[in-house]
């Protein structure tokens, strides 16, 4: 793994309305954002889960539209499923659309988030 000291952090807040999950993203100052990210250098994009559902949500991983595009170079889950990290070495110009996969403590069904996007500008 490469140097991951360049970190962009987001919170993924999941709530329930009429038993349907709602996903909202904030920056580390709790300001609402889209969760999208434009990368112009090697960077780790970190999403911290804030589960307000009482369903015991945990990150399991991420699914990608184009998993072999090399826009995202690595993904790993930390803190017992409460944080997911995406590494972009910024060597490939392109866009990575993805969804987070979350498990829950109520049943064996998985939950998919709406898709944030990472745009990699490539190192110049």
């Amino acid at each position: 793994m490469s140097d991951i000291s360049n970190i962009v952090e987001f919170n993924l807040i999941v709530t329930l309305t009429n038993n349907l999950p709602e996903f909202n993203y904030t920056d580390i100052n709790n300001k609402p954002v889209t969760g999208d990210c434009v990368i112009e250098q090697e960077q780790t994009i970190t999403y911290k889960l804030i589960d307000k559902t009482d369903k015991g949500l945990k990150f399991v991983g991420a699914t990608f539209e184009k998993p072999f595009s090399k826009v995202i170079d690595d993904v790993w889950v930390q803190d017992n499923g409460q944080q997911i990290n995406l590494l972009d070495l910024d060597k490939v110009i392109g866009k990575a659309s993805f969804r987070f996969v979350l498990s829950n403590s109520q049943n064996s069904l998985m939950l998919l988030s709406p898709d944030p996007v990472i745009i990699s500008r490539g190192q110049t």
Side-chain angles (χ1 to χ4, degrees):
M1 187 175 307
S2 192
D3 174 32
I4 57 170
S5 59
N6 265 339
I7 299 174
V8 176
E9 293 184 43
F10 296 101
N11 295 316
L12 171 56
I13 303 164
V14 185
T15 58
L16 289 177
T17 301
N18 297 322
N19 228 19
L20 295 173
E22 292 187 1
F23 296 84
N24 293 289
Y25 296 91
T26 66
D27 62 17
I28 59 171
N29 297 314
N30 293 318
K31 178 182 172 190
V33 295
T34 63
D36 295 352
C37 191
V38 176
I39 302 299
E40 296 183 354
Q41 61 182 344
E42 180 178 303
Q43 205 138 39
T44 299
I45 305 98
T46 296
Y47 294 87
K48 294 183 180 182
L49 180 61
I50 300 175
D51 178 12
K52 294 187 175 184
T53 68
D54 293 326
K55 303 292 182 188
L57 299 181
K58 291 184 178 185
F59 285 118
V60 174
T63 63
F64 291 83
E65 264 182 20
K66 300 175 185 174
F68 309 112
S69 68
K70 298 184 181 180
V71 172
I72 298 299
D73 300 285
D74 196 9
V75 176
W76 66 99
V77 176
Q78 284 182 242
D79 298 333
N80 196 28
Q82 298 307 298
Q83 178 175 312
I84 192 166
N85 305 286
L86 289 78
L87 177 64
D88 183 349
L89 296 176
D90 200 36
K91 296 191 186 301
V92 174
I93 296 172
K95 181 168 85 169
S97 295
F98 60 95
R99 292 178 173 228
F100 295 121
V101 181
L102 297 99
S103 66
N104 72 83
S105 62
Q106 305 292 303
N107 57 46
S108 61
L109 302 178
M110 298 291 171
L111 179 62
L112 288 177
S113 71
D115 59 336
V117 174
I118 294 176
I119 299 171
S120 186
R121 299 281 190 219
Q123 293 180 4
T124 54

